[in-house]
Amino acid sequence: MVLEKLGSNLYNAIQKVLKAPIVDEALVKELIKDFQRALLQADVNVQLVMELSKQIETRALDEELPPGISRREHLIKVIYDELTNFVGEKPQELKIQPGKQNILMMVGIQGSGKTTQSAKLARYFQKRGYKVGIICADTFRPGAYNQLKMLAESINVDFYGEPDAKNPVDLAKRGIKQLNDHEVVILDTSGRHKEEEELIREMQEIEHAVQPKEIILVLDGTIGQQAAAQAQAFNEATDVGSIIVSKLDGTARGGGALSSVAATRAPIKFIGTGEKIEDLEPFIPSRFIGRLLGMGDIEGLVEKVREAEAPISEKDVMAMLSGKLNLQDMYNQFEAMQNMGPLQKVLSMIPGFSYQMPTEELENAEERLEKWKVIIQSMTPEEKDDPKVLNRSRIQRVARGSGTDEKEVRELIKQYNTMRKMLKQMKGSRRMRRQMPFNLR
Ligand SMILES: Nc1nc2c(ncn2[C@@H]2O[C@H](COP(=O)(O)OP(=O)(O)OP(=O)(O)O)[C@@H](O)[C@H]2O)c(=O)[nH]1
Ligand SMILES: [Mg+2]
């Protein structure tokens, strides 16, 4: 794949981040250099690269870390976010209305890959259960009819064409009529003409005559950044609803084509990744970037960060602040904390807290969570509800019951008291969010 080279460069940069002993400003800067190099080699527009790297750098260095997320994870999330955003944010879908005749009209300059993508799209919708037909409205190039007919036959899709027709507009109308019981009708047009103007005129005439559900522009990925200008020119002449960037398996310039077109917010819906009929895939920015970064589990990581970012509601916090924190609550918090949950969030919302408790201690605390949970489980409901009743003999009993010793039980009680105190401290504080300078964890 094209993007193979780009992908492997980005992948190596990510690996560097994953393997680095510490994630600090120097590493962030180095990573950004690697990125710039990789993107520029893939013919991505210089200005776009600069904007992107600036954005990554600012976010990576200045943004506060969501609780429970390491700087490393945050950095990777930022890169992933920004790159995804860079190529299109949300996936755009080519919608087909079932039970209707959806005419998809292919346009694009000569050799861009219209005919090939027509067959690929036909196969794509056929596999999804639609009744599909193809029309060859390229009356200009002598071999066009046979090329498409063979492709259609190879996938068993109905085909309409007239080998000797001269007028593509009338032909298209007859084809549409012939295939009126087909849900998806793909109309391949000519890309070759003596003059560009003539090509544009023909395209507009066919559009007018058949009123397609969608005009699909095929752009050749090997032309690099020029693809954006071409997309714009076509969009001015006609109402382009979808874009397919083809030949992304070919050269290193694919990155340039894709990103420059994406930067105009044009709807790239598919990418062509080879000459075979199956080599078409919906363009899903997040998946695409994940693959490029070589991170199969990036979705999981992103999900983790997203969860950590989900704000705890003020109501939750107030309920805890009202003093109603018992050991059962604490137990629940421990449990949640083991999934990187609310305790961390609550604690991290206390201004200055991150200075009070060094990471090491937090880690120790996490190691002890399991033990503490067992201790709490050995308590009676009364004790859990109001730990003040835990006198010496009760503590001895709990220690025995949980297979720990008195010292550990007392430690838990101390921890509980500390936590309550901190929650009280937080009461009245309007700064609910952690204010923390760039702090390397
Ligand atoms: N590697 C690769 N080759 C492709 C892809 N799509 C199309 N091609 C090749 O590009 C060449 C031109 O493709 P066509 O589909 O005939 O292009 P076209 O736009 O219909 O060309 P005209 O009808 O002459 O305007 C063919 O050799 C295809 O095999 C792709 O995604 N990857
Ligand atoms: Mg063609």
Side-chain angles (χ1 to χ4, degrees):
M1 224 199 112
V2 181
L3 297 174
E4 220 155 69
K5 182 84 166 49
L6 172 61
S8 73
N9 288 341
L10 296 180
Y11 175 79
N12 290 337
I14 290 285
Q15 289 303 309
K16 218 189 260 181
V17 173
L18 291 174
K19 289 191 189 119
I22 49 160
V23 176
D24 58 7
E25 196 170 332
L27 184 78
V28 171
K29 295 228 150 104
E30 190 184 330
L31 171 83
I32 284 168
K33 284 239 169 59
D34 289 345
F35 256 69
Q36 291 175 337
R37 211 170 300 130
L39 293 169
L40 291 172
Q41 272 176 14
D43 186 44
V44 176
N45 177 280
V46 179
Q47 200 194 326
L48 287 178
V49 172
M50 290 309 152
E51 275 168 29
L52 179 71
S53 36
K54 184 139 183 285
Q55 191 69 11
I56 293 178
E57 182 170 338
T58 311
R59 283 192 58 195
L61 296 180
D62 298 347
E63 221 166 66
E64 70 182 54
L65 293 180
I69 295 301
S70 69
R71 175 137 314 268
R72 199 185 306 274
E73 288 167 331
H74 179 252
L75 176 58
I76 289 169
K77 163 81 159 44
V78 165
I79 291 164
Y80 170 82
D81 270 0
E82 293 301 324
L83 276 176
T84 303
N85 204 0
F86 184 61
V87 296
E89 229 166 341
K90 282 196 242 72
Q92 313 227 27
E93 215 186 322
L94 206 175
K95 291 212 178 70
I96 297 299
Q97 249 181 302
K100 288 241 165 70
Q101 189 189 40
N102 297 262
I103 300 166
L104 310 178
M105 177 176 163
M106 311 296 284
V107 301
I109 66 160
Q110 143 184 356
S112 59
K114 292 175 296 301
T115 303
T116 312
Q117 315 312 310
S118 294
K120 290 179 185 179
L121 265 186
R123 177 78 182 122
Y124 178 87
F125 287 115
Q126 180 192 46
K127 278 206 272 188
R128 277 153 189 78
Y130 292 104
K131 186 169 184 192
V132 183
I134 301 185
I135 301 171
C136 173
D138 181 352
T139 52
F140 199 86
R141 192 164 59 86
Y145 171 89
N146 277 326
Q147 183 193 5
L148 192 53
K149 186 164 186 280
M150 274 168 59
L151 284 168
E153 278 167 2
S154 76
I155 51 174
N156 225 347
V157 156
D158 293 330
F159 171 78
Y160 183 88
E162 301 171 16
D164 303 314
K166 290 278 171 290
N167 183 333
V169 181
D170 295 340
L171 182 155
K173 284 201 275 197
R174 284 190 292 271
I176 300 291
K177 209 160 158 200
Q178 177 84 25
L179 298 172
N180 70 351
D181 60 341
H182 290 60
E183 290 168 293
V184 175
V185 173
I186 296 165
L187 181 67
D188 186 24
T189 65
S190 164
R192 214 166 286 200
H193 260 281
K194 282 186 222 79
E195 290 169 48
E196 197 178 307
E197 267 169 54
E198 214 178 306
L199 175 66
I200 299 277
R201 198 173 331 116
E202 179 181 300
M203 189 178 82
Q204 288 169 332
E205 276 170 31
I206 298 177
E207 176 187 5
H208 190 73
V210 308
Q211 301 286 324
K213 152 104 176 144
E214 187 123 328
I215 294 185
I216 300 176
L217 171 64
V218 180
L219 293 171
D220 181 334
T222 64
I223 66 174
Q225 290 176 39
Q226 273 173 277
Q230 210 176 90
Q232 210 150 1
F234 269 92
N235 199 36
E236 271 158 29
T238 179
D239 183 19
V240 174
S242 296
I243 290 178
I244 301 180
V245 181
S246 69
K247 309 185 196 179
L248 280 183
D249 51 311
T251 69
R253 297 169 74 79
L258 201 62
S259 58
S260 65
V261 174
T264 67
R265 291 292 171 234
I268 302 175
K269 295 186 187 170
F270 290 92
I271 54 179
T273 56
E275 291 184 79
K276 291 194 300 297
I277 287 220
E278 308 289 337
D279 296 334
L280 179 80
E281 51 183 274
F283 181 59
I284 299 168
S286 57
R287 190 187 299 165
F288 181 76
I289 293 299
R291 209 172 52 196
L292 222 48
L293 295 179
M295 305 203 62
D297 56 350
I298 193 129
E299 284 291 349
L301 169 66
V302 169
E303 194 48 41
K304 184 176 162 197
V305 178
R306 207 172 281 145
E307 265 171 30
E309 279 169 343
I312 252 193
S313 80
E314 198 154 329
K315 203 169 125 251
D316 292 343
V317 176
M318 286 310 164
M320 297 189 77
L321 290 184
S322 63
K324 209 208 130 287
L325 175 80
N326 60 26
L327 278 171
Q328 185 58 48
D329 294 329
M330 196 164 165
Y331 179 92
N332 296 342
Q333 294 297 342
F334 286 162
E335 194 138 76
M337 185 177 177
Q338 285 176 320
N339 312 320
M340 202 210 52
L343 177 62
Q344 273 277 31
K345 281 185 201 167
V346 172
L347 295 185
S348 65
M349 281 192 296
I350 302 168
F353 177 73
S354 52
Y355 301 113
Q356 289 167 18
M357 196 159 176
T359 316
E360 201 180 294
E361 211 169 302
L362 253 178
E363 271 168 17
N364 278 340
E366 284 187 47
E367 272 168 32
R368 278 178 291 175
L369 284 187
E370 206 48 56
K371 199 175 266 179
W372 286 345
K373 279 168 67 182
V374 178
I375 295 176
I376 295 174
Q377 275 172 329
S378 307
M379 293 177 183
T380 66
E382 187 201 0
E383 289 160 355
K384 282 189 222 172
D385 198 47
D386 184 10
K388 278 203 292 295
V389 304
L390 283 162
N391 57 21
R392 177 122 201 248
S393 70
R394 284 184 188 239
I395 289 174
Q396 278 173 343
R397 196 206 75 240
V398 171
R400 262 200 315 278
S402 58
T404 57
D405 57 41
E406 280 177 54
K407 195 168 144 268
E408 281 169 311
V409 178
R410 287 186 198 284
E411 215 172 304
L412 168 70
I413 297 171
K414 199 174 129 215
Q415 195 64 34
Y416 164 77
N417 287 327
T418 312
M419 192 164 157
R420 269 189 56 153
K421 217 162 65 207
M422 284 193 290
L423 288 172
K424 277 218 186 85
Q425 249 180 31
M426 203 166 108
K427 199 173 189 175
S429 165
R430 304 240 77 217
R431 282 161 74 213
M432 299 300 279
R433 300 225 55 186
R434 172 167 50 171
Q435 300 288 310
M436 195 172 131
F438 186 41
N439 171 2
L440 302 171
R441 296 210 219 177

